[in-house]
Amino acid sequence: MGIANAVAIARSNVPRAISGLKDQGILVERQAHVRGVSRKRKAYFLTDSGIIMASETWTRLSEFPLRCILDEGQPVDTTLGGVKSVLPFEMRPVDVIRYMDENGSLDARSLSQDLIERDLSKHVEKQLVTSLADLPRLRHFYGRTTELDNMGNLIEARATTLLVPGIAGIGKTTVASKLIERFMHRRNLLYHRCQDWEGSRSFFESIADWLASMGNSEFASYLAATPIPQPADAARLLIEALEGSPSLIVIDDFHKVSDLVLHQTFQAMSLALLGSEEKIGLVIFSRSFKPVVPTKDAEGRIASLVLPLDGLDPDSGRKLLSSFSNLEDEQWLHIHGLSRGHPLVLELINRGASAGAFHETLEHYVTVEIFSKLSAEQKRVLSALSIYREPMVLEALAMQQLDTDELDNLVESGLARQADSTTYDVHDLIREFLLRSLSPALKEEFHAKCMEWYEKQPQSNEVAIELIYHSIQSNQFETASEIIMDKGRHLVSQGHMELLGLLERIETKDLEPSTVVLLGQLQGDILALLGRLAQAEEVLNKALEGAKAANNPSIEAEILSSLADVSRKQGNSDVALARHKQALKHYISQSNAVWAARTYNNIGYLLRRKNDLNKALEAYGEVETILSQSKGNELLSSQITLARALIDLGEVQRAREHAMDAHEATEAMGDAALHARAQAVLGRYYSRVEQSELAMFHYSAALEAMNEAGDLQALVEITILLGEVLHDAGRIDDAMEHYREALVIAEANDLRMQIGELLTRLGGAAPDRQGRMEYLQRALSVFRELGARSRMKEVQMMVHRAVMGR
């Protein structure tokens, strides 16, 4: 899109233009990391001859004679290069050409910069957007006419989901490429190739970039605000974004992804497409024959269709054996029977295997007839290439002192694939054969070389993940552990949950006990984030035993705090309380005021939920004691939490002092997010003492700051408070609007306690009885799942009052 905009041409013309320039040697194409984007993107660079040609072209064009008509009505004779000095506003040469008539005249009287930009935007909006970065080049194609016709007809007929399963190397990617070719210049196209080290985040980022190129950035905004997107919300936003845009989404190698979020997203999308009038197609290619999307909905309507991909028919398969001039029918029947029309195997046989040799199994055939006939250097180049998990540039292979000239022969023989002019990879089937035959020592050596390459690359989250992977594969578990301990928390905060799979593959027997404990702590925290609470508890308990054995009370206390949070999420308040108290003993013995104050606040919260208000006040009194004995600003966060809790308990004057102190201190610090939290508490205080105007002022300021900071939980909580003030002031419609806005954010981020609270508020504020009942029943379900018994009782009373019409 950027190239199309820069030269004011249709986006669909860009690939053809680039292809011609590449063939002429004027530019080269590379995969490169782009700032702000996680996946690699195609980047184009002029060659030396290209730079010379570009300069000569502009020199020639700049002398093009041009007549420019200005506001005075007098024409001015100039050139394309000199028109810039004549015009009263900035205008690019490509825009001059766009508005110039066939006589070489430019009428600038009706033009302005805004008009030119608007015209270009309208021009761009009509263009179709393709995102095919990972799609390999096709070398040849035979057969598959029936399969492609079936897919094309189904996609044309209505919005639909197709699942295309097939074994490795059967031609799924080739068919995907041909299917995309059929819809080129007719639909917006996205091709996404799944990798086994990636999760849902990678796909979401790809589709967000694609939608943004189409002019819709809503999903990108949702993704930026949500580390772990909810499948239902993601599917709904994606379908809404595609409305009115004829689109085809092709997912390849889906079997590699075990991320439940992505599976559930596609399931929700397939159901959402059912009965849609839009031109939207979702096609999933996978090795797995397991139905990953529902075939029917609850009413029995067909939601998706399964179109298995088998081997090539005999006539098409025989065309792949072009190197056999005299292939006897008996030999062809043997090959076809052995390969069952498997195109990749047929292609490999065509490039050097014997047609007459007999082997009992396909695996033995490929090993003996193909791999054993490679030269030692070819094997090394191919093995090095297969070790990388993503397409690699020549530079990475050359760094390993390999003969990269062999790549052309390997591509020609079908063993390697060329992604672009300088980037290569191998088919998964070839990779599996190769990796199985590599000795452990050679495998370690290659993975170590990969580490050297990534260590020299600009540091990013993706590079860190690759470094961890190759460290583990080369048995450098200590190095992998160091990277994880250094960057693991940051990677998780950015949504890279694939770190969990890497953590589980680290062998810990030779690691320091303290390292094993820290890895276990991180693993448990990730599991808790993913909602796998039983597994999180198991892992954290094991880490706790390690911390006790290593006599590390600091880590032991942190793990106990994590376990307490898991228990709270499970609805086990008593267990959570006991664990917080255990952790508290360690924090007190270490004189750790920050964690002690935080834990007392957590204990107070749990006691309030148990309705033990006197003991809750005692816990908050301990926080006050710690605050009185401490200096500096490190306890401001705990002071803000304390002030809020005291307001809820009716200790308004005690709360006022803490709220005022926190407000002044955070304002002096210049910490916008912390100051916003202090303002929210101050707003809550003014609301309690019935000073609505002041309350709304502080809440509104806090909301604005939290929105900028991206603190979604605080944003939801403050919106609830603002809604309460508006409700108390009699502005019911405004209150309902704020509650609904907060509910969207809470549901998008799975803030379940806040979801329950918002539904309760909506149930209390809804003007009609049916609306109140619906909201309160939903709130009741949420609190029941959370095990929040006290809130359940309160909501049940509200339901009773709604039924009685009070």
Side-chain angles (χ1 to χ4, degrees), residues 12 182 226 375 460 659 713 728:
S12 56
R182 284 199 173 197
T226 316
S375 69
S460 65
Q713 185 164 340
D728 293 341

Side-chain angles (χ1 to χ4, degrees), residues 168-236:
I170 203 68
K172 295 185 296 296
T173 301
T174 305
V175 170
S177 181
K178 277 293 175 182
L179 183 64
I180 284 168
E181 196 175 289
R182 284 199 173 197
F183 286 91
M184 190 69 75
H185 312 310
R186 293 165 57 204
R187 290 199 184 190
N188 298 291
L189 300 169
L190 171 69
Y191 172 83
H192 179 79
R193 193 171 170 193
C194 299
Q195 305 290 0
D196 52 11
W197 66 91
E198 296 174 339
S200 59
R201 191 82 187 178
S202 175
F203 168 73
F204 286 146
E205 287 178 348
S206 291
I207 200 166
D209 291 344
W210 179 58
L211 290 171
S213 299
M214 289 161 60
N216 189 317
S217 59
E218 284 186 21
F219 189 72
S221 301
Y222 168 73
L223 203 59
T226 316
I228 307 175
Q230 296 303 300
D233 296 316
R236 175 177 53 78

